[in-house]
Amino acid sequence: MTENMITTDAAPAATSKRLSTALPTRSSRRTYWTVLAVLIALSLVFGTGLILWDNPMPLGSDGFWRVVDLRATSVVVMAIVAVCQGIATVSFQTVANNRIITPSILGFEALYAAVQTSMVYFFGVAGLLAFRGLPQFAFQVALMVGLSLTLYGWLLSGKYANLQVMLLVGIVIGGGLGSVSTFMQRMLTPSTFDILTARLFGNVSNADPAYFPLAIPLVVVAAGLMLARWKRLNLLNLGRDVTTNLGVNHQREMITTLFLVSILMAVSTALVGPMTFLGFLVATLAYQFARTFDHRYLFPVAVLNAFVVLSGAYFVMRHIFYAQGVVSIIIEMVGGTLFLVIILRKGRL
């Protein structure tokens, strides 16, 4: 009887064995890899569907492959945006120690709107059309990263470095740029304003394949460095005091992370336009699905979430409702609603 009792008591202990890792139990590991497999499958389904589904040209003809090439370009753009938004938002929330705010708080969208509006205001529609190409794309990325570095160097260095002050200054700068853009837009003719409005909404069709030689290397390098720094990001997630006590220069790591975040967000915004709540939506879903704070597990889920949301929304709107132009509006609406729900549940930022 004693042997039976020992065997009976030992069985649950063996099945519920916990490890000192990010995914401590067998159940949590199985759940994570199942979620990852489902997201990969959905990404392949939606990506392939966007490329091949409802091609109006005869199979195998030159026109068929031309349509496939155009659609494949859109899928590549979605992949770039997914990497940028997923990794940048999760990393930014880690540095800020807040899962509500997003990198858009630093004014990237407002600066993008100000640049596009200025081109139309001073040079007309011809100026907006001329402000396309690799040099112009590089200029926008450099301008956004330069603004971010100015904020970091000014407000995160010195004796009284304060991240909260930097975020508040970013909000003020974004609001100021938004006001200037609104003033210039009110001076435009209705037809010119109509053309400008199409550029101010985040849309995959805004991207130009000519941007890829610069955008892809920047994203690969920035995302690769962020992935390589997952251990340091895990430490940053513990707060300034714990990070410092463990021998890590918190200020240096914070500025380095924000610099990489600014590159990713600048590329995404300059490529397709503002997508304010996409990052918040996919980061929130990543925390819910991964059920861990370890960044080596969070990053893949966040990126796949972003690609599934983008490609799935475009597939449904293009082939079911035939209204692909409203995809970004719907994503923003869903993300904004989720933001309000979380704010009301938490009761604080």
Side-chain angles (χ1 to χ4, degrees), residues 3-17:
E3 292 180 358
N4 291 337
M5 291 178 61
I6 293 174
T7 304
T8 304
D9 292 340
T15 57
S16 61
K17 182 179 179 181

Side-chain angles (χ1 to χ4, degrees), residues 93-336:
Q93 291 179 348
T94 295
V95 170
N97 199 19
N98 191 312
R99 285 169 55 181
I100 297 294
I101 60 177
T102 65
S104 60
I105 201 172
L106 296 178
F108 291 105
E109 285 85 356
L111 182 59
Y112 173 85
V115 170
Q116 298 294 321
T117 304
S118 298
M119 289 297 105
V120 176
Y121 182 78
F122 290 109
F123 304 106
V125 176
L128 184 64
L129 297 176
F131 197 70
R132 296 177 68 90
L134 191 58
Q136 291 80 1
F137 175 76
F139 170 74
Q140 290 188 79
V141 172
L143 195 62
M144 294 177 191
V145 175
L147 173 64
S148 301
L149 287 177
T150 302
L151 283 176
Y152 306 156
W154 174 31
L155 299 170
L156 291 181
S157 60
K159 184 178 179 181
Y160 301 104
N162 192 309
L163 179 65
Q164 284 69 37
V165 172
M166 186 203 74
L167 297 177
L168 290 174
V169 171
I171 293 174
V172 172
I173 292 176
L177 290 172
S179 299
V180 172
S181 300
T182 302
F183 171 76
M184 289 189 290
Q185 290 167 14
R186 291 179 66 87
M187 306 293 289
L188 301 176
T189 62
S191 58
T192 305
F193 178 74
D194 227 14
I195 297 174
L196 173 64
T197 302
R199 294 284 300 171
L200 296 183
F201 280 108
N203 197 327
V204 171
S205 62
N206 289 339
D208 190 331
Y211 301 161
F212 290 170
L214 178 61
I216 293 177
L218 282 176
V219 172
V220 169
V221 171
L225 290 174
M226 203 75 86
L227 288 170
R229 302 178 71 255
W230 65 270
K231 291 183 179 179
R232 295 180 180 272
L233 289 170
N234 289 347
L235 291 178
L236 288 176
N237 206 23
L238 300 175
R240 177 186 295 271
D241 295 337
V242 176
T243 304
T244 304
N245 289 336
L246 291 174
V248 176
N249 188 324
H250 182 272
Q251 181 177 339
R252 183 181 63 195
E253 296 300 327
M254 181 172 60
I255 292 177
T256 302
T257 302
L258 289 174
F259 172 65
L260 296 175
V261 167
S262 68
I263 293 177
L264 293 171
M265 289 302 299
V267 170
S268 175
T269 305
L271 192 63
V272 301
M275 288 191 171
T276 306
F277 286 107
L278 175 63
F280 172 79
L281 176 62
V282 300
T284 301
L285 292 176
Y287 283 110
Q288 294 296 319
F289 292 159
R291 297 187 179 279
T292 179
F293 291 93
D294 194 323
H295 289 76
R296 59 178 164 170
Y297 297 111
L298 278 174
F299 283 152
V301 176
V303 171
L304 288 171
N305 275 335
F307 186 79
V308 168
V309 168
L310 276 175
S311 59
Y314 270 92
F315 181 83
V316 171
M317 288 298 166
R318 172 181 291 175
H319 298 298
I320 296 179
F321 297 105
Y322 303 100
Q324 62 180 12
V326 302
V327 169
S328 61
I329 299 174
I330 293 175
I331 291 175
E332 298 296 290
M333 181 180 69
V334 174

Side-chain angles (χ1 to χ4, degrees), residues 30-40 289-290 301 304-305:
R30 183 169 57 248
T31 300
Y32 176 81
W33 293 113
T34 301
V35 167
L36 200 66
V38 170
L39 290 174
I40 292 173
F289 292 159
V301 176
L304 288 171
N305 275 335

